[in-house]
Amino acid sequence: MMAATRGALIVLEGCDRVGKSTQAKLLVEYLTKRGKPAKLMNFPDRSTTIGKLLDEYLKQGQEFDDHAVHLLFSANRWEAASSMEKLLKSGTTLVLDRYSDSGIAFSSAKGLDFDWCRNSDAGLPLPDLVLFLQLSQEESRARGGYGQERYEKEQFQATVRDKFSRLQQDNWTVVSAEQKSIEELQCELRKLVDAAVKSALNKSLGHLPT
Ligand code: ADP
Ligand code: 2DT
Ligand code: MG
């Protein structure tokens, strides 16, 4: 009975300025308008106690050991996990603006071991669909300068890009954002999301493996 109403867990991933936040918000509006319960979640969720520490860290007002901050990003997902499961099981589709793959890509870009990074997320709700948005460095650069946060530097972003490509997973759908308007890309993503929402109805919710 529960499985008949399950929502889908959909994640938007990709490098900086590829359009994750823009597209995630539009997808939630689209689903909601069509009568499908949907909720937008951002990771890190900067509103919690742990999230506030991460916000300070990203704004460079607070230092942490790389391992310690990786575990804080992971803890920020764990503190949301039970409410995510509850929402999914009650039929709400969740659209996440970044999730575990960002955790692995950014921490490993600082030199941490891939598998060590992955381990702290093992057991979290498994995405039904990861939409990995891809954009060349040139087009991304044309979208304006980087902000002031810790990771917003060209060189570091190039390393993250490289880590993401090593990470590419079976449950990823890679979508090119190149030369596409916000509306064109949204149209493409909607089709993929509709299919994922439909197929999640017949699947039980999985969990991230070790
Ligand atoms: P991200 O969350 O991946 O960093 P954003 O959604 O915040 O990216 O978008 C980054 C910038 O690029 C914003 O100024 C946004 O308005 C712009 N933008 C987003 N999508 C497109 C697009 N398809 N074409 C041109 N500009 C875009
Ligand atoms: P935005 O809020 O602009 O997306 O920036 N990050 C994110 C990590 O280092 N580890 C993680 O687990 C997650 C989810 C990516 C958030 C920044 O935080 C980084 C950019
Ligand atoms: Mg964003």
Side-chain angles (χ1 to χ4, degrees):
M1 194 63 193
M2 273 309 223
T5 61
R6 181 165 90 77
L9 180 52
I10 291 156
V11 177
L12 282 152
E13 280 287 8
C15 292
D16 217 56
R17 286 181 296 180
V18 74
K20 299 177 297 300
S21 299
T22 305
Q23 296 296 333
K25 185 169 165 279
L26 290 173
L27 284 172
V28 169
E29 285 170 12
Y30 165 71
L31 291 166
T32 308
K33 264 194 208 134
R34 294 183 67 234
K36 297 194 191 302
K39 188 177 187 305
L40 174 67
M41 296 179 86
N42 303 285
F43 287 106
D45 172 359
R46 302 185 193 218
S47 71
T48 67
T49 304
I50 293 168
K52 287 188 180 101
L53 287 174
L54 292 170
D55 186 51
E56 275 301 300
Y57 175 77
L58 290 168
K59 291 185 169 136
Q60 317 205 58
Q62 170 87 50
E63 293 302 316
F64 285 112
D65 169 80
D66 291 342
H67 298 82
V69 84
H70 176 81
L71 296 175
L72 286 176
F73 275 107
S74 179
N76 187 238
R77 287 184 279 281
W78 276 108
E79 63 182 343
S82 64
S83 67
M84 285 168 66
E85 293 221 11
K86 218 178 274 171
L87 283 163
L88 289 165
K89 285 175 182 164
S90 72
T92 300
T93 287
L94 301 180
V95 180
L96 311 188
D97 181 357
R98 298 192 188 274
Y99 192 50
S100 180
D101 292 326
S102 275
I104 302 166
F106 277 77
S107 292
S108 66
K110 291 191 286 186
L112 301 191
D113 179 72
F114 246 67
D115 291 333
W116 185 88
C117 292
R118 200 192 302 271
N119 274 338
S120 55
D121 279 357
L124 283 173
L126 177 75
D128 295 296
L129 177 67
V130 178
L131 294 165
F132 185 82
L133 307 184
Q134 217 158 35
L135 191 67
S136 66
Q137 219 152 353
E138 292 68 40
E139 203 173 324
S140 147
R141 208 177 282 133
R143 290 188 182 177
Y146 285 110
Q148 300 302 309
E149 290 204 336
R150 186 176 293 265
Y151 298 136
E152 296 182 311
K153 293 173 191 89
E154 182 107 16
Q155 177 80 52
F156 186 73
Q157 291 286 330
T159 313
V160 171
R161 182 179 289 266
D162 186 52
K163 296 295 177 187
F164 267 130
S165 65
R166 263 196 61 194
L167 234 178
Q168 199 159 122
Q169 316 252 11
D170 295 345
N171 67 341
W172 278 22
T173 299
V174 179
V175 180
S176 168
E178 202 74 25
Q179 307 264 301
K180 285 178 192 157
S181 68
I182 291 175
E183 294 73 24
E184 281 170 327
L185 182 56
Q186 176 67 195
C187 188
E188 213 172 302
L189 298 183
R190 283 178 183 177
K191 291 189 191 118
L192 296 164
V193 165
D194 282 337
V197 168
K198 204 166 165 195
S199 77
L201 294 173
N202 307 309
K203 272 194 318 191
S204 52
L205 180 66
H207 294 92
L208 287 173
T210 44

